[in-house]
Amino acid sequence: MYNEINWDSIDLKQAPPDIEPQRQYYFIKMLKNWFDGKVKEKGRKLTCQVNTFGCQMNSRDSEKILGILKCIGYIQSDSENADLVVFNTCTVRENANLKVYGRIGQLKKYKVKNPGMVTVLCGCMMQEKEAVAKIRKSYKNVDIIFGTHNIYKFAELLAMKVLDSPDSSKMIIDILDNAESIVENLPSKRKYPFKSGVNIMYGCNNFCSYCIVPYVRGRERSRKPEDIIKEIEELVKDGVKEVMLLGQNVNSYGKNLENPVTFTELLEMVEHIDGLCRIRFMTSHPKDLSDSLIEFMGRSKKLCKHIHLPLQSGSSRLLKIMNRHYTKEDYLLLVDKIKKAVPDIAVTTDIITGFPGETEEDFNETLDVIEKAGFDNAFTFIYSKRTGTPAASMEGQVPENVVKERFDRLLEKVHNVSSKKSAQYLGKVYDVLAEEVNVQEDGYITGRMGQNYLVHFKGDKNLIGKIVPVKLCESRGFYYYGELVQNNK
């Protein structure tokens, strides 16, 4: 990885190497030299802040951006009043775009006081031509824009700005429409030393009619299993106990490899990594969840007993229009199979209300699935029209007042069902990965069960990063208060 790079071997007098990631380490070294000069000039180190909007894929991308900045020498700041600010954007819903525009505008006042400040926009929103055009026209304080396919070029783009045109108002824009290859061995700065996300694939081929993701993340591209295993082995050596395997649809993993590998086969490989304690994954598409995966979930010793299985709607009629490729009955059968294979598994989901053409009957079908599936939790959303998706031009857009009323009923149903489900864990002892000090309650630690519930319990900060047994004493709906049974290794 980047800490193993022999920086002295990178010759700045030569042209950048033609292959990645060596080419980017060339630019990182150039930036390190520039950075050292700036430190002498200013009498302090430069600061950075990376703001992440959206999903865990974006969070993992932000860790790579932070890793590059750490290599250069930047110090992470808690404030947007920094020397370099990155907004890693999401565009799944329209209000996500609006938040970004507002935040960019707020940075103008900082840039007036610090003209050398660098503002960077990246992520899914930057793959939308309309959004980039608006930024070019109305937000001149933005310096660098790149998309989802060329995050690996961040150091190169930053060098173009601070080395080639530091005093220029020129906006550097580098957007790729697609990506054919995956660049490995980029730097990374993890948020937690004891757990990490690991990308196993990028992109999506599903084209759900409401979703912008395939248009901004591109088609499915799987990493080679040997690269994934090598990364996890290195993470374990560095103290990681839990990994989250990430992809827009992990169940499709391996189909486009030269030598195809199924997701279940990949999980088998990960299971055998010595020192790794826990495995998670998301997100699973119901249409591709195989019997072999369910069977593996039932016998795995390391796979956490939690699955996130997006439903979106309980109406088979709407599911067809959404292009989801399963029915209400298919989904309930799948949940039943999973629960039979793993009796104490937690099942969470995503649900949309207000999709074009949704009737009261359709909505009631969704409430029925929530009751029958017995979800532990659900992420609930009001349909958001995304320009460029088939659903955006569909007839039958549901009136706002109707959507709001249904959304309130949806929340109430989810709360009632999940409260009943969470009660079944009370009084039992579960292994909990202690993650952080609870800043709101003195003397408490917050951790996470294998079932993905948060647990607050009294404990010393020395427990952070350890897996400890905790008795669940009180349920607060989506989290628990518990008692530490004993210290574990």
Side-chain angles (χ1 to χ4, degrees), residues 192-243:
Y192 297 100
F194 48 84
K195 69 175 186 176
S196 179
V198 175
N199 297 108
I200 66 169
M201 61 186 301
Y202 301 89
C204 182
N205 290 351
N206 289 312
F207 290 93
C208 300
S209 61
Y210 53 83
C211 186
I212 197 73
V213 168
Y215 305 95
V216 297
R217 281 281 180 181
R219 305 301 164 266
E220 289 178 355
R221 307 177 317 282
S222 297
R223 294 177 65 196
K224 296 177 182 178
E226 55 267 32
D227 290 332
I228 297 169
I229 299 303
K230 180 182 177 182
E231 179 180 350
I232 297 175
E233 287 175 341
E234 290 181 351
L235 288 169
V236 171
K237 289 177 183 177
D238 198 36
V240 166
K241 294 186 175 181
E242 175 183 299
V243 295

Side-chain angles (χ1 to χ4, degrees), residues 36-77:
D36 291 341
K38 281 294 180 182
V39 169
K40 291 180 181 178
E41 175 188 321
K42 293 178 174 290
R44 64 172 177 83
K45 286 200 170 186
L46 304 187
T47 58
C48 69
Q49 188 184 57
V50 178
N51 296 282
T52 307
F53 301 80
C55 68
Q56 293 191 354
M57 295 285 284
N58 270 19
S59 295
R60 183 58 180 153
D61 285 347
S62 290
E63 289 183 342
K64 295 173 183 176
I65 291 169
L66 275 170
I68 292 169
L69 293 172
K70 180 184 176 183
C71 280
I72 296 166
Y74 280 90
I75 300 298
Q76 199 168 347
S77 170

Side-chain angles (χ1 to χ4, degrees), residues 194-195 241-242 278 431-436 446-449 457 464-468:
F194 48 84
K195 69 175 186 176
K241 294 186 175 181
E242 175 183 299
R278 283 181 164 187
D431 284 342
V432 173
L433 175 58
E435 296 188 350
E436 55 194 4
T446 296
R448 197 173 292 273
M449 296 164 51
F457 59 97
I464 293 174
K466 296 180 180 179
I467 297 175
V468 296

Side-chain angles (χ1 to χ4, degrees), residues 156-169:
E156 182 175 351
L157 300 175
L158 182 57
M160 289 171 62
K161 177 61 187 177
V162 302
L163 298 178
D164 296 343
S165 55
D167 301 319
S168 170
S169 60

Side-chain angles (χ1 to χ4, degrees), residues 419-465:
S419 294
K420 294 176 185 176
K421 185 70 190 300
S422 63
Q424 75 181 30
Y425 301 108
L426 281 174
K428 299 178 182 179
V429 176
Y430 289 90
D431 284 342
V432 173
L433 175 58
E435 296 188 350
E436 55 194 4
V437 172
N438 188 327
V439 295
Q440 296 180 335
E441 296 187 76
D442 189 40
Y444 275 80
I445 298 293
T446 296
R448 197 173 292 273
M449 296 164 51
Q451 284 81 355
N452 210 42
Y453 283 92
L454 286 176
V455 182
H456 307 300
F457 59 97
K458 286 187 176 181
D460 188 88
K461 64 181 181 180
N462 292 329
L463 293 175
I464 293 174

